[in-house]
Amino acid sequence: MPKQKTADPIQVTTIGLDTRSQEVLRMAFSTAGKGACILADNEASAEVGICNMDCSDARTLWQQNRERNPQRPMVVISVNDPALESGIYVPKPINIVKLIDAIQQAHAIDCIEQSQAIVTASAISNNTRQQKIPGNINQFHTGNNALKSIQEDIAIPDVKLDEIEKTTISYYSPHEFLQGKLHEAFNFAHEKHVATQFSIKTDGDWMRITADPVHDKVISEVSDRELEKLCTTPIFCIETKSNFLNKKETRYELYRNDKPHSESSIDQFLWKIALWTSSGRIQKGINPSSPIQLKHWPNLTRLKQSPNDIRIAALLSEQPGAPALVAKVLGIPLGQVFSFYAAAHALGLAAPATKDKKQTSPFNLPKKNKHHTLFGKILHKISGTN
Amino acid sequence: MPGNNHKIIFTGPVGAGKTTAISAISDIPVLKTDENAQDMTKKRKQTTTVAMDYGLLNLGDGERIHLYGTPGQERFDFMWDILTHGGLGLILLLDNSRPDPFKDMQFFLNSFNEFISDKKLVIGITHMENNPEPTIETYHQHLNQYEIKAPVLEVDARKKEDIETLLKVLLYSLDPWLGK
């Protein structure tokens, strides 16, 4: 006669698992498993066993267990199918839903006293989960359905390009500013694999910016405050000169300490120069209503932060989008998108979208995550914003 | 919802800085299970996490985010899915000083393939200060082979601001509407 089924958790014992692994299982049973199974306090009360066939002496332990408890249904876990005569095989890495399903199947089979509880290697596939197991197994299936997340249908604001507010847009060309000259000098140095020294005359003194592409280093005697001012000054108002350095001069320039200076990588330097040069303006030739694309995420932990840079990168990394649309979707000033684009473009990470992408990929508004409120709280926690 | 079971998972090879990263942002001292390193892991650090690391972000009103660190040793791979269940996203830390960090990346991408396809992945590269190669750009090139577009950022796991930025990038990737 079958054992009487109850809603009590299935008592499980383990063979070949160390205490830490048992603790992980205990945790998984109580959380993801929602109490469908528990680790038995003593082996005698266990209804189902889990045997780790990858432990040392696994075969011996398995055999000993079968001799002690021939009737106890077993679940075997292993990287490779151990091809045992009995036991439900669950491949590693273990999926907790599949493991609980296997335990429940083993328990159900035991309940109706099936004489052959033999399930082959593919038993715990999705198909097998749907196969009919004798008995009222459904009541035990807290696994799949209960654990599946349900996408919330959150209304997304309708955003249309033609509704974008008219904004006064300022255009600029990097070549009309210090950025253009610096890029030119740095690019040439990069091509020749030599360091370059770029000098700017401020208050009668020549201040040096040394860039060494080999060591990816920029040494600047010009303070950030001064540089920021210079970046929006037309280049014809600034006296500059540049020259290349030989190896000996490069070594000297990189390590001398006679003047205050700051150090950065070339990307860090070019990024901030582009941000300052843009200052919310858009480069000539870029249409605010035409899509731009991001090659990949900038290395934002090592680059000068700008407002909403992570949000802009998150949106553009998924798909190309027009600056005006990005600003509208995120609810941020258009100038912030322009500045981000300028900085990313300076590192070769952003460019106007190719014609193919413009034509075939309309902008898909991202969905609000079902954990939107929760994420806002995490954000508030770590940065004081939401 | 108070009493939730949301979690953020930190994974990566031995010595990549998972425990340190969790410690950098956790509201509680990180619960970690260390044992003397064995075999090949011994050369990299004296102890290694073998079960899991656990930290917590208290959000107030009883809401909490669990921070789980997966074991760095592959022999404990069977626990990974257990840890990822209920996970909001994955932070993969890769050690740039290891002999073949791309092989590590491939291993973890394969191991978490199902989770990554459903959720979001952010990659933090550690130990770049003394090992600038391979570059972030090279990681992106490798990711392209898997058709994965994930953020890759240089991080120092000891720096709270770096780990917070990783977390922000993960959150905004999951929901670009945040902050609006």
Side-chain angles (χ1 to χ4, degrees):
Chain A
M1 183 177 166
K3 290 177 192 173
Q4 183 65 44
K5 273 190 184 177
T6 69
D8 290 338
I10 302 169
Q11 302 254 342
V12 179
T13 189
T14 65
I15 296 120
L17 286 180
D18 62 19
T19 52
R20 291 190 185 92
S21 304
Q22 288 172 358
E23 285 309 307
V24 172
L25 270 186
R26 198 186 304 279
M27 177 195 75
F29 285 161
S30 67
T31 54
K34 300 192 174 179
C37 311
I38 56 168
L39 282 189
D41 290 333
N42 60 72
E43 198 207 347
S45 62
E47 298 163 278
V48 176
I50 297 176
C51 187
N52 174 24
M53 296 307 291
D54 295 332
C55 73
S56 57
D57 300 328
R59 295 271 169 182
T60 307
L61 289 172
W62 168 264
Q63 195 55 42
Q64 287 171 352
N65 176 68
R66 298 312 291 160
E67 286 166 8
R68 274 201 315 274
N69 306 288
Q71 300 304 317
R72 179 183 292 155
M74 295 296 295
V75 172
V76 293
I77 58 174
S78 177
V79 172
N80 300 306
D81 183 359
L84 297 168
E85 288 179 356
S86 63
I88 297 177
Y89 168 54
V90 177
K92 293 180 183 179
I94 299 295
N95 175 306
I96 188 62
V97 176
K98 291 176 183 175
L99 179 63
I100 289 171
D101 276 358
I103 293 168
Q104 289 172 329
Q105 285 189 32
H107 187 243
I109 290 166
D110 180 50
C111 285
I112 62 162
E113 293 186 335
Q114 279 202 345
S115 58
Q116 290 183 327
I118 301 170
V119 184
T120 53
S122 61
I124 314 303
S125 67
N126 285 335
N127 291 339
T128 310
R129 245 190 258 130
Q130 292 164 0
Q131 80 184 25
K132 288 185 178 176
I133 302 287
N136 187 19
I137 194 167
N138 287 338
Q139 73 183 84
F140 290 92
H141 268 258
T142 58
N144 259 356
N145 293 333
L147 295 170
K148 267 186 186 168
S149 60
I150 301 165
Q151 194 70 28
E152 284 182 7
D153 184 19
I154 300 173
I156 302 297
D158 187 23
V159 178
K160 292 174 183 170
L161 257 180
D162 55 9
E163 289 175 1
I164 291 167
E165 60 188 295
K166 301 289 180 195
T167 311
T168 306
I169 296 171
S170 299
Y171 289 87
Y172 76 106
S173 169
H175 295 289
E176 294 165 359
F177 295 90
L178 187 62
Q179 183 188 355
K181 283 274 182 192
L182 283 167
H183 260 275
E184 204 174 283
F186 283 22
N187 284 341
F188 203 66
H190 183 74
E191 284 170 17
K192 300 288 180 191
H193 298 286
V194 293
T196 185
Q197 192 161 73
F198 192 91
S199 303
I200 305 169
K201 200 169 191 179
T202 59
D203 298 330
D205 284 336
W206 285 101
M207 308 290 274
R208 289 170 289 197
I209 298 171
T210 305
D212 178 14
V214 176
H215 297 95
D216 187 24
K217 199 182 247 190
V218 176
I219 308 286
S220 175
E221 292 174 0
V222 188
S223 69
D224 277 3
R225 196 176 166 187
E226 188 68 26
L227 262 180
E228 189 172 359
K229 274 195 290 182
L230 288 167
C231 280
T232 48
T233 306
I235 191 65
F236 58 79
C237 300
I238 307 171
E239 203 175 340
T240 65
K241 63 181 181 183
S242 63
N243 60 286
F244 295 113
L245 303 177
N246 62 34
K247 281 186 180 176
K248 193 176 173 184
E249 289 169 331
T250 303
R251 240 186 342 264
Y252 174 75
E253 289 297 332
L254 290 182
Y255 297 106
R256 71 193 178 88
N257 275 314
D258 57 336
K259 281 191 176 180
H261 63 269
S262 62
E263 284 187 25
S264 59
S265 72
I266 290 177
D267 277 359
Q268 285 171 329
F269 188 79
L270 293 177
W271 176 274
K272 70 183 178 186
I273 292 292
L275 273 183
W276 289 331
T277 307
S278 165
S279 294
R281 300 177 296 174
I282 188 167
Q283 293 177 25
K284 285 177 186 170
I286 302 296
N287 182 346
S289 298
S290 290
I292 54 173
Q293 60 186 355
L294 197 58
K295 185 178 162 194
H296 59 69
W297 276 78
N299 183 17
L300 290 173
T301 48
R302 294 294 176 267
L303 299 170
K304 181 176 173 55
Q305 292 188 342
S306 59
N308 293 303
D309 52 3
I310 298 178
R311 297 179 66 203
I312 299 167
L315 201 60
L316 285 177
S317 65
E318 290 294 320
Q319 59 185 323
L325 185 60
V326 172
K328 185 74 177 177
V329 167
L330 298 180
I332 60 176
L334 193 50
Q336 291 182 1
V337 186
F338 292 160
S339 290
F340 175 86
Y341 174 79
H345 181 261
L347 303 194
L349 299 180
T354 55
K355 279 189 178 176
D356 285 353
K357 287 194 175 174
K358 277 185 208 172
Q359 287 165 354
T360 59
S361 309
F363 191 85
N364 294 313
L365 283 173
K367 280 191 174 180
K368 252 186 193 173
N369 194 291
K370 65 176 181 174
H371 298 302
H372 180 78
T373 307
L374 178 72
F375 292 166
K377 288 179 182 176
I378 302 172
L379 210 53
H380 181 76
K381 165 83 180 177
I382 61 175
S383 63
T385 61
N386 57 21
Chain B
M1 182 179 70
N4 64 50
N5 190 38
H6 299 302
K7 61 180 86 162
I8 292 170
I9 299 118
F10 291 72
T11 192
V14 175
K18 301 182 292 292
T19 312
T20 311
I22 294 173
S23 301
I25 57 170
S26 174
D27 286 329
I28 60 168
V30 172
L31 302 174
K32 53 193 173 191
T33 311
D34 283 346
E35 67 173 10
N36 290 330
Q38 301 291 325
D39 311 326
M40 61 189 292
T41 62
K42 206 166 188 175
K43 292 174 187 168
R44 302 200 67 81
K45 64 182 208 176
Q46 288 306 303
T47 62
T48 189
T49 307
V50 294
M52 62 178 172
D53 292 336
Y54 174 73
L56 194 65
L57 282 178
N58 280 315
L59 304 180
D61 296 330
E63 275 195 310
R64 304 178 301 176
I65 298 294
H66 307 284
L67 307 170
Y68 282 110
T70 64
Q73 290 169 296
E74 293 172 16
R75 62 194 171 98
F76 291 101
D77 64 344
F78 72 94
M79 295 199 321
W80 287 355
D81 191 80
I82 289 175
L83 291 174
T84 57
H85 195 89
L88 297 170
L90 182 70
I91 294 178
L92 168 59
L93 296 179
L94 295 170
D95 178 355
N96 222 37
S97 70
R98 280 170 62 92
D100 191 349
F102 298 124
K103 193 175 175 187
D104 293 335
M105 184 167 78
Q106 182 184 15
F107 176 81
F108 286 96
L109 292 180
N110 287 337
S111 300
F112 287 96
N113 180 38
E114 202 173 322
F115 183 79
I116 292 168
S117 64
D118 191 37
K119 299 288 178 9
K120 287 285 183 183
L121 163 76
V122 173
I123 301 176
I125 311 296
T126 60
H127 302 111
M128 283 197 87
E129 60 277 13
N130 297 318
N131 305 276
E133 302 283 343
T135 64
I136 298 286
E137 180 66 32
T138 320
Y139 279 97
H140 281 293
Q141 288 166 5
H142 278 255
L143 279 174
N144 284 341
Q145 294 171 10
Y146 304 100
E147 297 183 346
I148 292 175
K149 289 178 77 175
V152 183
L153 306 176
E154 176 183 347
V155 295
D156 182 334
R158 297 163 299 183
K159 289 186 178 171
K160 187 178 181 183
E161 60 268 29
D162 277 8
I163 305 306
E164 285 178 345
T165 302
L166 265 188
L167 201 47
K168 281 186 209 173
V169 166
L170 178 65
L171 293 171
Y172 281 120
S173 297
L174 285 160
D175 189 350
W177 293 101
L178 277 177
K180 184 165 182 181

